Amino acid sequence: MDVMPKWVDIIVVPLFSLFLAAALSALLILAIGESPIAALNLMIEGTLFRSAGWGYMLYYTTNFIFTGLAVSVAFHAALFNIGGEGQAMIGGLGVALVCLFIPWPHWTLAIVGASIGAALFGMIWAGLPAYLQAKRGSHIVITTIMFNFIAAGVLNFFLVDVLKPAGSMDPASANFPASTHLPTFQDIAGIIGFEKAFRSAPANVSFFIALFACLATWYLIWRTPLGYEIRALGKSGPAARYAGVRPVKIIMIAMMISGALCGMMAINTTQGESERLILNFTEGAGFIGIAVALMGRSHPVGVLLAALLFGFLYQGGAELALWTKIPRELIVVIQALVILFTGALSLMVRAPLERFFISIQRARV
Amino acid sequence: MTIKPAIELRGISKSFGPVEANKDITIRVMPGTIHGIIGENGAGKSTLMSILYGFYRADSGEIFVDGKKISIPDSQAAIGVGIGMVFQHFKLVENFTVLENIVLGAESGALLSPSLNKARAELAALASEYELNVDPDSIIEDIGVGMQQRIEILKALYRKANILILDEPTGVLTPAEADQLFRILKRLREEGKTIILITHKLREIMDITDTVSVMRQGEMTATLETNETSPENLAELMVGRKVLLRVDKTPAKPKNPVLEIEDLNMFDDFGVQRLKNVNLSVRAGEILGIAGVAGNGQSELLEVLGGYQKADGTVKVKGSEIDLTTSVNGDGQARRAQGIAHVPEDRQREGLIMDFMAWENSVFGYHREKSNQANRFFMDNNAIRRETEGKMHRFDVRPPNPKLTAKNFSGGNQQKIVLAREIERDPDLLLVGQPTRGVDIGAIEFIHQQIVALRDRGKAILLISVELDEILSLSDKIAVMFDGKIMGERLPSETNEKELGLLMAGVAEQVAQ
C-alpha cells in the first residue's frame, strides 16, 4: 500500500509547515531592517527564559487549548465552528453571573460553579446555530460567525447596562469577590517557595482544567459510543444513517460540547485573570482555536502542542513589539502566516512530502 | 458515397484509480438516428458520455465527429462541434426566466438585452420548427419538470447542437411526460438531429431507438438494430452471462413467516412513488431473491426495511409490527434490536466507514450494544479488537488485521467485513443487497456459502441482486420487481432467465396470457 508513514503525517508535515511560515516571516523581518535571528532570540528569551514570560505563555495556551479542543470536536462531526469567539463571550457572561451573584465560600467551589456556568452558557450559544443547521439546514459556518456579532452585542449590553456598577465609567462588571479569585501559578509556586518561577504572571489553575479537558475530549472522541457516532457522522453521512445514527441529535450534541469548551475559556480569562467581566476579553482566541485544531489535527495531544506553540507566538510577539522596531501589526502578520501554512496550506505541504516519502519507500523495496 | 457517422468513438478507455469505467469502447452513431445506450447503474454509460461532452478526458482512444478526428478538452469544445447534453439533473437557474436560462453562458455581449431579444426571436423559430412550445418569460421554479427538460433541450438547440445526448431523461418524468418527450425526440430525428439516449429502461429503448448499444461493467457488449432485438435479449446482455456459479445447497425447509410486508408504499423526496403496493413474505429457513433491473425500487425496499426511509404500510417481523413512520432518519439501531441485520447495497457508501479501521467497522450499527461496552460510559475497544480478529479469521478476511483502515481492503474483503458483522449477530432476518457486486470469484463463492449457511440455521433472508444468476442460484423463491411493483413470484425450478427477463422488463401481462 502506498501510504506515507503515519509519523510523517503527524510530525513532519506540521513542522515543515511551521518552518515555511518562519522562513517567510524571517524575510519580512529582514525587509523591515531587523535581524530575524535577533528577533527569534528575543522571542525565545522573552517567553521561555523570563519568569513572567512563562506565565503569560501558559495563560494564552490555556485559552487556545479550550478553543482548539472545541473546534476539534466539531471537526470530528464535519462541522466548522467559527463561533468560538461568541461562545467564549457568552461563557464569560456565565462566569460573571455565577461569580457575582452566588456567594462562594472558597475558590475551589467557585471554579466548579464557574465552569458549569461557562460551559452551560457556551453550550446554549452553540446550540442555537446547531439547531438551525440540524433542523433547518442553515449553514453552520454562516450562523456561527453571525452569532459572534450577536454575542458581542449581548456582552456590550450587559456591560453597559446591566452589570456595570452604578457610577462607573468603565464598561465592565464589578470586581468578583475575593473568594472566587483563582490561585495563579505564582501563588502555587509560592507554596513550595519557587515564587520567582512565575512572577506576576496571569496563568492560573484553569490551566489544569484545560489539561483535564484534553484528556476528557480524548476519551469522549475515541472511547465512548457518542464519540464513535460523532466520528461516524463526520466521515460519512449515508453510512451513519444506515447504522441508525441520528444526524440531528449528533450535530446538536457535538456543537454543544464544542460551545461548552469555548465557554470554559472564560474561567481562565474572566475568573482567573481580569477577575471581572470586561469587553473583548476573548482577544481572538476563538479564531486561533481553528488554527490550533487544524495544526493539532483535531487530536487532543496535537491541540495541546499547537496551543503551546501559539502561546509562544503570542507572548513572543508581544516581546518583539516591546523591544524592536517591528510594528505590532507585523506580529499579527507572522501569526497569520503560521495559521495559513499550518492550516489552510498544510495540504500544499503534504502532497510533495507524501510523494517524497513514497518514492523513498519504493526505492527501498 | 457512404454516410459518415455523426459520432464515432474508437477504443475509448478511462480508469478512475483501479476502476476501469470504460474499457476499449468503440461505437458509431449514424446521423438522423436515435441511438440508445443501455446498461445498469455503474456500467459506464455516464462516464462515456462525460468523455464525449468534455468533462473527462479519455486515457486512450479517438473521437470523430462527422468523420473528422477531434479532441474535446472541455464542454465548450463539445458545444463547438455541435454536441449538446441534457443532464439527468437539470442545470437550470431556478429563479431565472426561461429566456435567461437559455441565454446563460451564450450571451452575445456585455449588455443583456440584445442577447435576450435575439434569443427570443430564435426561440420562436425553434419552437415552430420542432414544436417545442414554451413561454419564454415564465420562471423556472414555477414550471413542471417535463417543461424544464424541454428547456434543457432548447438550450442545446440554441447552441446549434446537432447531436443531443440525453442522460436518463425519463427518470424524473411521469409516464405522460415521458411520452411527450419521446414525441419531441422523434420530431428532432425527423429534422435530421442525432440523438443519444442513455437509459436503463428496456421499454424506452424498444419504443424509440433505431440502434442500441449495451454496456456492462465498463465494456460495450453489443450494438444492435433495435428492431432485430427483444427486451429479453437486451436484459440478458445487460445483466450478463457470467460463469454460472452453482451454489451447493439442500432444498429449503421453510417454517413460519419471519418477514411479512403488506401494501407497502413509499414516495421519495421529490414525490415520486418508488414502492407500489408491495406484498411479500419471507419464511424462516428461506431465501427470497428479488430480481429486477437496478432502479426499480429494490434499493428503496431495503432502505425502508433497514429503518432509514419512511413508508406507509404494514411490515411485521416475527409477528410484531415495525414502525415505518420514523420521523428522524435513523431507526437502524431499533431495527437491529428487532433482529434485522442489513448488508447494504453500497458497502463503501453505507456499509462501512472507509476511514475507520476494521475493528471500528466491525461493530458499526451495534456500537451501543451492551456486549461492546466496557461500562456505562466507554466502549470496550480491546474486546472489540479481539472479537474482530476472530471474525476476520472466520470470514477469511485478508489481511486479518483489525487495525487496517477499511479503504485498504479489496472490495471482496470489505464485503466480508460487512457480512461478518451482520451474520455473526445471528439475526432473525438478514437483508442483503448486491452481496457480490465488485467482488472476485473466490470471494463470491464464500459469501454465497455464508448466506446459505445462515438460511440452514433457520433464518430468513431477503436477497436483492441485479445479477440474475445470483438470484437463480441462491434463492428458494424469486420475486421480480419492476417500477416499484412486484411483477410476480416464481420458484427457481419452475422459471428461466427468459421469463424473468420479461418480468424485469415489465411485460408481465403477455407472459400471463
Side-chain angles (χ1 to χ4, degrees):
Chain A
M1 204 63 51
D2 275 345
V3 283
M4 63 178 174
K6 220 175 169 185
W7 60 270
V8 175
D9 204 9
I10 294 173
I11 300 167
V12 177
V13 170
L15 283 184
F16 197 72
S17 306
L18 192 61
F19 171 76
L20 285 180
L24 208 53
S25 308
L27 287 180
L28 277 174
I29 293 172
L30 264 182
I32 287 175
E34 290 275 340
S35 153
I37 309 277
L40 184 65
N41 266 334
L42 189 63
M43 280 178 85
I44 292 176
E45 203 191 293
T47 348
L48 303 182
F49 295 108
R50 202 152 344 114
S51 56
W54 266 104
Y56 270 101
M57 176 179 144
L58 291 178
Y59 166 74
Y60 293 126
T61 298
T62 308
N63 288 344
F64 301 153
I65 291 176
F66 280 120
T67 53
L69 287 177
V71 176
S72 307
V73 170
F75 266 158
H76 279 293
L79 297 166
F80 202 175
N81 180 12
I82 312 196
E85 281 289 288
Q87 289 144 23
M89 281 180 203
I90 300 297
L93 189 60
V95 169
L97 296 179
V98 166
C99 288
L100 287 171
F101 297 106
I102 301 177
W104 297 98
H106 193 260
W107 68 265
T108 46
L109 295 174
I111 197 170
V112 174
S115 297
I116 293 172
L120 199 68
F121 273 58
M123 193 183 271
I124 291 168
W125 205 249
L128 294 169
Y131 178 82
L132 293 174
Q133 165 81 65
K135 281 284 193 192
R136 315 284 311 172
S138 316
H139 203 286
I140 199 96
V141 168
I142 308 294
T143 46
T144 49
I145 207 161
M146 292 199 296
F147 266 65
N148 285 341
F149 291 95
I150 303 174
V154 170
L155 191 66
N156 247 327
F157 166 74
F158 269 90
L159 291 184
V160 171
D161 258 350
V162 186
L163 292 176
K164 186 169 68 77
S168 164
M169 304 269 281
D170 191 10
S173 76
N175 286 332
F176 298 163
S179 62
T180 66
H181 292 180
L182 297 180
T184 62
F185 276 18
Q186 189 182 3
D187 302 334
I188 299 168
I191 299 171
I192 48 171
F194 263 111
E195 246 170 272
K196 275 188 285 181
F198 290 99
R199 213 163 359 189
S200 66
N204 57 67
V205 288
S206 56
F207 177 70
F208 298 106
I209 297 186
L211 290 183
F212 175 76
C214 284
L215 194 68
T217 306
W218 185 83
Y219 268 100
L220 168 78
I221 295 294
W222 276 281
R223 299 305 294 273
T224 66
L226 175 64
Y228 181 93
E229 292 188 347
I230 289 176
R231 287 185 295 132
L233 181 71
K235 293 284 185 199
S236 168
R241 220 166 61 111
Y242 151 82
V245 172
R246 294 170 187 245
V248 172
K249 183 178 132 192
I250 297 299
I251 289 173
M252 291 290 297
I253 292 178
M255 274 306 286
M256 283 164 83
I257 292 172
S258 182
L261 284 165
C262 275
M264 284 175 74
M265 182 195 117
I267 53 174
N268 183 40
T269 53
T270 305
Q271 191 184 10
E273 204 260 335
S274 59
E275 293 171 351
R276 59 190 183 134
L277 186 62
I278 54 174
L279 273 183
N280 196 26
F281 67 88
T282 53
E283 295 181 302
F287 294 119
I288 301 286
I290 297 167
V292 169
L294 283 172
M295 191 171 182
R297 305 186 62 85
S298 298
H299 192 288
V301 174
V303 165
L304 175 61
L305 294 176
L308 282 167
L309 172 75
F310 277 90
F312 168 78
L313 285 176
Y314 249 57
Q315 171 54 16
E319 291 289 318
L320 283 188
L322 201 59
W323 301 109
T324 67
K325 292 201 307 243
I326 301 172
R328 177 90 193 112
E329 286 69 29
L330 191 74
I331 313 300
V332 182
V333 172
I334 293 173
Q335 283 160 0
L337 279 173
V338 174
I339 295 176
L340 198 63
F341 274 95
T342 57
L345 295 181
S346 66
L347 280 178
M348 183 185 86
V349 175
R350 196 172 179 276
L353 276 177
E354 189 167 26
R355 274 199 295 277
F356 175 68
F357 275 94
I358 286 174
S359 69
I360 289 181
Q361 272 176 330
R362 284 211 185 121
R364 223 185 287 155
V365 173
Chain B
M1 194 188 106
T2 52
I3 310 165
K4 288 187 185 132
I7 285 189
E8 183 173 4
L9 302 176
R10 281 192 206 154
I12 297 279
S13 294
K14 173 78 187 170
S15 302
F16 297 99
V19 183
E20 284 185 272
N22 284 159
K23 287 178 235 173
D24 194 22
I25 304 255
T26 294
I27 180 177
R28 293 155 67 94
V29 181
M30 301 312 284
T33 62
I34 300 182
H35 186 101
I37 297 184
I38 192 162
E40 294 181 326
N41 294 337
K45 306 173 300 233
S46 294
T47 306
L48 187 65
M49 289 307 119
S50 298
I51 289 169
L52 190 52
Y53 198 60
F55 279 167
Y56 297 139
R57 276 199 142 181
D59 298 336
S60 60
E62 297 172 320
I63 302 173
F64 296 84
V65 172
D66 295 327
K68 281 195 292 284
K69 186 181 169 195
I70 55 158
S71 78
I72 303 181
D74 53 39
S75 53
Q76 286 299 326
I79 294 165
V81 295
I83 300 174
M85 183 132 174
V86 176
F87 293 92
Q88 193 174 358
H89 303 284
F90 305 145
K91 310 220 181 285
L92 295 170
V93 183
E94 292 268 303
N95 53 357
F96 273 20
T97 65
V98 169
L99 204 57
E100 285 167 334
N101 266 290
I102 286 176
V103 170
L104 187 65
E107 304 91 341
S108 46
L111 288 175
L112 197 54
S113 54
S115 309
L116 286 178
N117 292 334
K118 183 170 145 263
R120 192 183 294 276
E122 261 182 63
L123 198 60
L126 285 173
S128 61
E129 196 176 347
Y130 302 108
E131 292 168 24
L132 281 163
N133 292 314
V134 291
D135 171 11
D137 295 313
S138 46
I139 308 281
I140 296 297
E141 58 195 356
D142 298 337
I143 62 179
V145 181
M147 193 59 92
Q148 290 185 9
Q149 191 170 50
R150 206 177 276 192
I151 288 151
E152 285 283 7
I153 295 173
L154 277 168
K155 253 168 77 178
L157 294 176
Y158 181 72
R159 285 160 180 73
K160 311 276 182 253
N162 276 316
I163 302 157
L164 209 56
I165 307 169
L166 292 106
D167 188 4
E168 303 281 0
T170 57
V172 289
L173 301 184
T174 63
E177 283 172 328
D179 287 344
Q180 215 164 15
L181 171 70
F182 288 165
R183 275 204 298 281
I184 292 170
L185 293 185
K186 283 177 182 159
R187 175 82 196 181
L188 287 168
R189 174 175 60 186
E190 281 168 27
E191 300 292 329
K193 304 281 182 195
T194 308
I195 292 161
I196 299 180
L197 178 71
I198 304 171
T199 181
H200 60 250
K201 294 182 185 160
L202 289 163
R203 196 169 51 191
E204 292 172 6
I205 293 289
M206 297 311 294
D207 278 359
I208 190 172
T209 63
D210 302 303
T211 47
V212 54
S213 297
V214 185
M215 286 192 76
R216 173 174 159 72
Q217 292 183 355
E219 288 178 84
M220 191 68 85
T221 49
T223 297
L224 306 157
E225 298 289 319
T226 306
N227 52 21
E228 289 170 10
T229 184
S230 61
E232 54 265 45
N233 184 13
L234 287 176
E236 216 173 276
L237 284 166
M238 240 170 102
V239 178
R241 292 190 143 279
K242 274 199 304 199
V243 200
L244 190 65
L245 289 159
R246 274 286 145 233
V247 180
D248 281 331
K249 60 173 183 142
T250 51
K253 299 183 199 76
K255 298 189 182 69
N256 298 328
V258 172
L259 174 69
E260 293 163 277
I261 302 175
E262 280 165 38
D263 296 329
L264 190 65
N265 285 292
M266 191 219 123
F267 292 84
D268 68 12
D269 294 342
F270 304 102
V272 178
Q273 189 168 11
R274 294 294 180 183
L275 294 176
K276 297 173 184 166
N277 279 319
V278 171
N279 286 282
L280 282 175
S281 122
V282 192
R283 287 178 293 172
E286 173 184 72
I287 301 176
L288 173 70
I290 297 189
V293 174
N296 277 293
Q298 304 99 308
S299 310
E300 286 78 6
L301 181 62
L302 275 189
E303 287 177 4
V304 167
L305 295 176
Y308 49 105
Q309 272 296 354
K310 271 198 279 189
D312 304 313
T314 325
V315 175
K316 285 183 192 159
V317 173
K318 290 193 115 180
S320 56
E321 201 170 323
I322 59 177
D323 181 18
L324 297 175
T325 58
T326 162
S327 57
V328 192
N329 290 330
D331 255 1
Q333 288 177 38
R335 293 286 200 278
R336 285 173 179 82
Q338 283 163 309
I340 305 177
H342 180 186
V343 177
E345 290 184 293
D346 190 339
R347 59 181 164 268
Q348 304 199 339
R349 216 172 95 86
E350 296 189 332
L352 294 167
I353 297 218
M354 300 305 277
D355 289 332
F356 272 17
M357 286 178 270
W359 69 268
E360 290 175 295
N361 271 305
S362 81
V363 291
F364 194 45
Y366 304 101
H367 52 275
R368 282 197 181 270
E369 290 194 351
K370 257 210 180 95
S371 56
N372 294 321
Q373 307 296 312
N375 52 46
R376 274 188 56 197
F377 303 106
F378 298 123
M379 288 169 75
D380 196 346
N381 290 353
N382 288 327
I384 295 170
R385 271 191 286 265
R386 269 199 309 279
E387 181 64 23
T388 304
E389 217 166 337
K391 273 185 205 169
M392 291 176 99
H393 281 291
R394 286 191 292 280
F395 276 75
D396 192 30
V397 178
R398 281 175 250 180
N401 176 2
K403 289 189 177 172
L404 206 57
T405 314
K407 63 182 172 205
N408 291 330
F409 289 93
S410 71
N413 284 306
Q414 288 173 356
Q415 186 70 331
K416 285 183 195 168
I417 294 174
V418 178
L419 268 166
R421 178 180 75 210
E422 303 300 328
I423 286 182
E424 291 229 335
R425 284 283 326 212
D426 211 24
D428 296 318
L429 170 67
L430 180 69
L431 313 170
V432 201
Q434 321 298 353
T436 56
R437 178 184 278 171
V439 168
D440 57 285
I441 300 279
I444 291 178
E445 214 174 338
F446 182 85
I447 289 169
H448 284 174
Q449 282 163 3
Q450 293 299 323
I451 293 174
V452 171
L454 186 71
R455 177 202 76 166
D456 290 343
R457 292 205 293 275
K459 311 298 183 181
I461 291 157
L462 181 75
L463 167 74
I464 284 177
S465 175
V466 292
E467 303 283 347
L468 211 45
D469 281 342
E470 184 165 56
I471 294 282
L472 277 165
S473 55
L474 266 184
S475 314
D476 302 309
K477 202 166 75 182
I478 298 173
V480 182
M481 261 187 117
F482 170 77
D483 194 26
K485 294 189 290 279
I486 300 291
M487 298 300 289
E489 288 191 22
R490 299 285 186 274
L491 292 174
S493 53
E494 292 169 10
T495 185
N496 52 42
E497 296 194 3
K498 189 179 165 213
E499 188 188 19
L500 292 177
L502 277 176
L503 286 169
M504 282 161 69
V507 277
E509 299 81 7
Q510 287 101 312
V511 180
Q513 286 153 13

